[in-house]
Amino acid sequence: MTTPPAERGTTTIADRAVRRIAERAATEALAPGAVEVSRGSAAVRGRRAQVGVTVTLPYPAVLDEAGERVRAHVAGRTARLTGLTVPSARIRVRGLSRRERSTGQLAPPVAATGAAGAAGVRAHRPWSGRRLPVAVLALAAAVACGVLLYDVVSVHAAGRAPARWRVQTMEWLATHGPDSATASGLLAAIAVFALGVWLLVLAVTPGRRGRLPMKPPVPGVRAVLERRAVAVFLRDAVTDVPGIGRVLVKVGRRTARVRAGLEFGEPDGARRAVTEAVGAATAVLGLARPLRLRVRLRTAPTWRAPAPEPGPGPGVENEPAAAERSIPDEPTP
């Protein structure tokens, strides 16, 4: 008696196996090594499977096209290898990674491409949106216009008397014009003039003075560094110098000021070591404009001058010569 094939047994594929297949399929969707998989998920229900993969796509890439290619490849490859029905795959793009499309290797560092990429491209600070000043000015203007509009509408539509503040304001403006030469009018004119100058300065300057532009790795890409982050980086570099205690670093737009305290050691050698450490740390930052360094080294209250090294005693230099003279000459044949 032969048992029907449907009753001979079943093949069960674990969720973990389906997840591994989906993750491997995602790495094969584009060029080799172009897609990085962070994590995946799979749920098998009978003969159907639901899979999801979190990936990092290469930059530059069109996200919708690259994501669709990865999704279609993951669904098709998983269904073909497992024999399950995979209606679709959920693809979550976690980030972008700049890689070479041909070899899949990491792109050259900024130090190697900075000169080529910066040719003809001038690095600038990113332009500030001036959100706070614009929001405050817009809110104040909206409140003033709203109050004035309400009073005008109430007078012409409802037949009410104008508000006292508007009447008093108009009378004050009529009697305190530019020709009155009163102190209040002069102060008001100065305030309006200063406000106008401030708005003009905000309009023509980029702002964001706390950020330093970096060398563009490629045309069209801009990168900046926070001045506070640069100060922390330089402080850590100076702290590694032997004998240095307290370190204070202030980074401006063009200058980096370093103040360090010497706990022990020779001041001249420590000053040279601090200057070299700051210069080396600044060189690897990749800034568009090199910072001018100002290093100031002070000895701590507990610092003591290092003791001089003991020199050779009297007659020490003459001992080798005396030893040589005490050795008799070998007889010549």
Side-chain angles (χ1 to χ4, degrees):
M1 182 176 180
T2 305
T3 305
E7 300 178 2
R8 295 176 185 175
T10 57
T11 301
T12 303
I13 303 178
D15 297 349
R16 180 179 179 183
V18 178
R19 176 175 58 84
R20 291 290 184 86
I21 294 176
E23 292 175 352
R24 182 59 182 270
T27 61
E28 302 172 352
L30 303 179
V35 179
E36 297 179 359
V37 177
S38 301
R39 61 180 179 272
S41 61
V44 180
R45 299 293 182 269
R47 302 299 302 174
R48 298 173 62 89
Q50 297 179 355
V51 297
V53 182
T54 301
V55 299
T56 300
L57 297 181
Y59 178 86
V62 182
L63 294 182
D64 56 349
E65 296 180 1
E68 179 62 23
R69 290 177 57 185
V70 174
R71 186 201 62 79
H73 186 79
V74 168
R77 186 68 168 170
T78 305
R80 185 164 54 253
L81 294 179
T82 60
L84 302 175
T85 301
V86 183
S88 181
R90 298 187 305 273
I91 305 299
R92 180 176 179 269
V93 180
R94 182 181 182 182
L96 300 176
S97 176
R98 189 163 63 89
R99 295 175 176 268
E100 295 293 337
R101 293 184 177 180
S102 58
T103 61
Q105 300 295 329
L106 289 173
V110 177
T113 60
V121 180
R122 187 177 179 181
H124 298 277
R125 295 198 312 271
W127 201 273
S128 174
R130 312 290 187 184
R131 296 181 179 180
L132 183 59
V134 171
V136 172
L137 183 62
L139 181 61
V143 171
C145 293
V147 173
L148 180 61
L149 180 62
Y150 172 78
D151 186 67
V152 172
V153 172
S154 64
V155 170
H156 292 277
R160 300 178 181 177
R164 180 176 299 180
W165 63 267
R166 187 158 67 96
V167 175
Q168 294 178 353
T169 301
M170 297 302 297
E171 292 178 355
W172 186 87
L173 291 176
T175 58
H176 295 77
D179 298 335
S180 60
T182 59
S184 58
L186 183 60
L187 292 178
I190 294 176
V192 173
F193 178 77
L195 178 62
V197 171
W198 180 59
L199 294 177
L200 288 176
V201 171
L202 293 181
V204 300
T205 55
R208 296 187 178 180
R209 301 172 63 90
R211 301 183 180 182
L212 300 176
M214 302 176 61
K215 295 179 181 178
V218 293
V221 177
R222 291 184 178 181
V224 294
L225 277 177
E226 294 284 348
R227 294 196 320 202
R228 291 179 296 180
V230 175
V232 172
F233 184 75
L234 297 181
R235 184 191 63 190
D236 294 342
V238 175
T239 307
D240 294 337
V241 177
I244 298 299
R246 185 180 178 182
V247 180
L248 179 62
V249 180
K250 292 184 179 180
V251 178
R253 293 179 55 192
R254 305 290 178 84
T255 307
R257 295 177 174 86
V258 180
R259 295 182 180 180
L262 182 62
E263 301 289 346
F264 60 89
E266 184 183 359
D268 294 338
R271 183 177 290 103
R272 288 193 299 268
V274 169
T275 304
E276 293 176 358
V278 175
T282 307
V284 301
L285 292 176
L287 298 177
R289 295 179 179 178
L291 296 174
R292 294 191 296 265
L293 305 179
R294 294 183 179 179
V295 179
R296 189 174 182 179
L297 185 65
R298 287 185 175 182
T299 57
T302 57
W303 178 84
R304 294 294 181 270
E309 298 181 359
V316 174
E317 296 181 356
N318 299 330
E319 289 181 1
E324 292 179 358
R325 288 195 299 270
S326 63
I327 300 175
D329 296 337
E330 296 182 356
T332 55

